[in-house]
Amino acid sequence: MALTLGAYTACLHDRPLADALDVLKEAGLTGAEINVGGFIPSPHAPVDALLASQAARDEYLGLFDEKGIKLAGLTASGNSLNPLPDIGPRHHYDLKRGIELAGKLGVEELVCMSGAPGSDPDAKYPSWVVNPWDGVYGEILDYQHSVLDPYWREMDQRAQDNNVKLAIELHPHNTIFTPVGFMDFADRIDAKNVGVNMDPSHLMWQQMDSIEATRYLSDKVFHVHAKDTKIEPGVGIRGVLDTSHGRPPADESKRYPSGMNHWCQVWPEDPAWRFVHVGSGHDQAWWTEFLRAVYEINPNMNVNIEHEDGKFDNVTGLKLGADTLIAAEAAM
């Protein structure tokens, strides 16, 4: 038994899938996670063709076999409960198809997010409640749970029907974004095939202990993203909930999508924190302990690097992260 160390290929969407798999293999990785919908496009997965044809699925899986890379997860991260008509329905459609496709491909895990409904039935935009000490926000959460819970009971059943596990990323901007919040949610929906994608980076910037959180969630961890975070000096005057981001670039080629015709904003030059390559925010010894905690839950866990360090080109940053992760596993 051994962890599968791989990478989420979104950082390599600028090249064909075969070339992306070659990059992973050259980095010493043995797994690949492929995007199939949600916030970003899916150039490495022709979803329509794969759903429609067994021959297309056989050819697709054959490429992974040829490259010696395991198809170690699919991703359809989005906000299926977003009240905006150009986002919520589309992400819901992508999630349902992602579950079906994972089942047809024999992929055990689909990474997704809980989503965030609006604050009330008439809301135009999604609402993220951070700290409901004011009772008004408690009322918003009550409403959001009334939308969220039945939706995910349905998705859990779909996952069971397709023999797929849904790994929810504890990502801020979603209603479910903390380990404690997830456990409460899992209890409310009687979760069976809904668990967690443990991405420590999002817990790091919230000042959580990602290793403790991993052990707390235990067998609710279905999948792992290896991504690192570095707290920067800007935290002294910004705090981790800073909102001073700039508007998306005027040049559309430099924009990063967050939905249909919606874009990520630009970070301040002196941010409170930023995502960095694996090993830059936390050293190899930390990653060894993290992998040990993961191994204790499932010795065969898929652990995929998600590279989002803007200070390095994608291939260089991915390989630096792979070096750290591979050395960390060897030191277990």
Side-chain angles (χ1 to χ4, degrees), residues 262-274:
H262 292 83
W263 313 93
C264 291
Q265 301 207 107
V266 178
W267 286 58
E269 291 188 6
D270 60 333
W273 58 272
R274 64 185 181 89

Side-chain angles (χ1 to χ4, degrees), residues 73-313:
L74 301 180
T75 298
S77 289
N79 184 356
S80 300
L81 301 174
N82 190 322
L84 284 167
D86 65 338
I87 297 182
R90 177 68 200 195
H91 289 183
H92 171 58
Y93 175 73
D94 287 349
L95 178 59
K96 290 193 299 181
R97 296 210 310 163
I99 293 170
E100 181 183 358
L101 180 58
K104 288 180 180 295
L105 289 172
V107 176
E108 293 184 359
E109 300 127 41
L110 177 73
V111 176
C112 47
M113 295 177 183
S114 72
S119 60
D120 59 83
D122 299 319
K124 180 179 179 181
Y125 297 105
S127 178
W128 180 38
V129 176
V130 179
N131 189 333
W133 65 267
D134 183 328
V136 169
Y137 298 99
E139 293 175 13
I140 292 172
L141 279 177
D142 288 343
Y143 168 72
Q144 290 184 317
H145 291 171
S146 77
V147 175
L148 195 81
D149 294 358
Y151 179 83
W152 282 102
R153 288 190 195 100
E154 178 189 343
M155 292 304 108
D156 193 338
Q157 187 59 58
R158 283 180 179 271
Q160 293 175 56
D161 293 344
N162 286 274
N163 198 29
V164 173
K165 292 183 176 180
L166 302 180
I168 289 181
E169 186 164 349
L170 302 180
H171 195 300
H173 292 180
N174 289 268
T175 306
I176 309 303
F177 66 98
T178 69
V180 168
F182 175 82
M183 295 299 270
D184 289 343
F185 163 70
D187 184 60
R188 292 197 309 270
I189 70 168
D190 189 23
K192 293 180 174 61
N193 282 39
V194 173
V196 168
N197 170 47
M198 172 48 67
D199 181 336
S201 67
H202 299 295
L203 306 188
M204 289 169 178
W205 70 256
Q206 295 180 78
Q207 305 297 292
M208 295 187 214
D209 183 327
S210 301
I211 296 173
E212 179 182 350
T214 299
R215 292 195 165 109
Y216 168 77
L217 289 163
S218 187
D219 60 2
K220 295 296 186 183
V221 176
F222 289 172
H223 189 85
V224 173
H225 274 176
K227 189 167 70 172
D228 210 341
T229 295
K230 184 177 181 180
I231 304 298
E232 299 282 15
V235 73
I237 56 172
R238 296 183 181 279
V240 297
L241 296 177
D242 178 43
T243 61
S244 56
H245 291 57
R247 296 301 184 186
D251 182 351
E252 289 195 12
S253 68
K254 296 180 180 179
R255 293 179 180 179
Y256 190 84
S258 63
M260 303 290 286
N261 296 317
H262 292 83
W263 313 93
C264 291
Q265 301 207 107
V266 178
W267 286 58
E269 291 188 6
D270 60 333
W273 58 272
R274 64 185 181 89
F275 295 130
V276 293
H277 72 76
V278 174
S280 182
H282 294 72
D283 62 17
Q284 179 190 310
W286 187 93
W287 283 97
T288 294
E289 289 306 307
F290 175 73
L291 291 181
R292 184 173 287 116
V294 169
Y295 187 89
E296 290 169 357
I297 296 168
N298 178 4
N300 296 310
M301 191 80 76
N302 292 318
V303 180
N304 293 321
I305 294 170
E306 184 179 17
H307 175 67
E308 292 186 356
D309 188 338
K311 291 195 173 183
F312 293 86
D313 70 82

